[in-house]
Amino acid sequence: MIDALFSQPDYVAAKKMLDATVLRQEAIASNLANLETPNYQRIDVAPSFSNELREAVANGDTEKINDLQPRLEVDANAVAANRDGNTVQLETELMNLQQNFLQHGVETNFITQDLLRLRSAIQGQPQ
Amino acid sequence: MIDFIPGVSTTASALTAERIRMDVISQNIANANTTRTPSGQPYQRQQVTFETVLGQQDQADSASGSQPRLIKVARIQSDSRPPRMIYSPGHPDANAQGMVAMPDINTYEEMADLITSSRTYEANLAVIHTGRSMTMQTLAIGRRS
């Protein structure tokens, strides 16, 4: 019964996106760590994840959202900037880092607001 | 043990690797004029080589897509460039023709490497800072701001 409170598509989707954001942070950490490793290929969260998530949210399919697992894969579009075959670019990666951080803030805020709204509904009084 | 900060082991490996690289660079600059090492030869410039490795817990589930990679110093090897010959007959290490074999170390090259290394170090510190802030945000879920 109480499960119903926490299985709205928006809330489940926000949790999944939080998972993906943390995974992307790990990918960025890996990319920046290997900034100067020859032949390193940059990795990122698979683009198929966001497409599938968007589709599932549009259909309001909570089950499907729950089953989605973000995974990392080699970024096939990245090209090596110089001859050592490394596809990481410092500036882009630092931008991604900041963007990812802000995204994480948005998601945690969203979840917090959702929980606070539930609480005020339960208590029946304005906060 | 859970990594509370995402990507912390990867970043830690990078900081260690860059630290070693800076050590080697400072060793090169310090020995720019060393004509005699324990082997009796002039000092040879040293160079680090980086390689990626899979983290321990990552090896188990590496089948499920790409995993974040750690970095380590694969080896520290001698540069093969020949010594510079300098005419200095009074030098104790001069040969019969009065030539001294000096290490071929270009200080500008080493300084440029040092700056690159320190920038990479800074970039990795930025990752740690951001990761820490993310963890604090996660811990604040459900709290009234």
Side-chain angles (χ1 to χ4, degrees), chain B residues 8-27:
Chain B
V8 73
S9 54
T10 314
T11 306
S13 72
L15 293 179
T16 313
E18 291 301 332
R19 184 98 246 164
I20 294 175
R21 184 174 173 204
M22 281 191 237
D23 279 352
V24 169
I25 293 170
S26 62
Q27 184 187 326

Side-chain angles (χ1 to χ4, degrees), chain A residues 18 21-22 25-30 32-38 40 43 71-74 90 94 97-98 100-101 104-105 108-109 111-113 115-116 119 123 127, chain B residues 6-7 10-11 13-14 18 21 50-52 63-71 116-117 120 123-124 126-127 130-131 133-135 137-138 140-145:
Chain A
L18 206 55
T21 311
V22 171
Q25 170 79 11
E26 284 180 23
I28 295 171
S30 174
L32 280 173
N34 289 290
L35 194 56
E36 295 187 61
T37 313
Y40 175 82
I43 54 174
R71 52 202 288 280
L72 296 176
E73 68 177 30
V74 170
L90 177 63
L94 286 175
L97 182 70
Q98 293 304 325
N100 199 49
F101 174 62
H104 187 270
T108 48
N109 255 328
I111 293 177
T112 302
Q113 292 308 320
L115 292 173
L116 289 180
R119 182 183 292 172
Q123 293 176 338
Q127 296 169 33
Chain B
T10 314
T11 306
S13 72
E18 291 301 332
R21 184 174 173 204
F50 291 150
E51 72 176 11
T52 52
S64 62
S66 296
Q67 294 295 323
R69 305 295 174 91
L70 307 187
I71 175 174
T116 317
S117 184
T120 313
N124 279 288
V127 177
T130 314
S133 311
M134 275 173 72
T135 310
Q137 280 180 347
T138 310
I141 284 181
R143 264 184 230 158
R144 280 196 192 90
S145 48

Side-chain angles (χ1 to χ4, degrees), chain A residues 52-127:
Chain A
E52 284 169 19
L53 183 65
R54 196 173 294 132
E55 199 177 303
V57 170
N59 298 335
D61 189 347
T62 317
E63 290 282 310
K64 194 167 175 237
I65 300 175
N66 235 336
D67 288 344
L68 283 177
Q69 276 311 329
R71 52 202 288 280
L72 296 176
E73 68 177 30
V74 170
D75 184 356
N77 296 326
V79 284
N82 50 27
R83 278 183 294 175
D84 69 357
N86 187 316
T87 58
V88 183
Q89 279 180 314
L90 177 63
E91 293 79 9
T92 323
E93 224 55 60
L94 286 175
M95 287 285 288
N96 287 343
L97 182 70
Q98 293 304 325
Q99 199 179 338
N100 199 49
F101 174 62
L102 290 177
Q103 198 175 331
H104 187 270
V106 169
E107 287 153 10
T108 48
N109 255 328
F110 182 85
I111 293 177
T112 302
Q113 292 308 320
D114 228 29
L115 292 173
L116 289 180
R117 211 163 34 234
L118 266 180
R119 182 183 292 172
S120 68
I122 293 168
Q123 293 176 338
Q125 54 193 4
Q127 296 169 33

Side-chain angles (χ1 to χ4, degrees), chain A residues 12-28:
Chain A
V12 180
K15 282 204 298 188
K16 279 290 159 193
M17 279 175 70
L18 206 55
D19 283 353
T21 311
V22 171
L23 199 62
R24 179 171 287 128
Q25 170 79 11
E26 284 180 23
I28 295 171

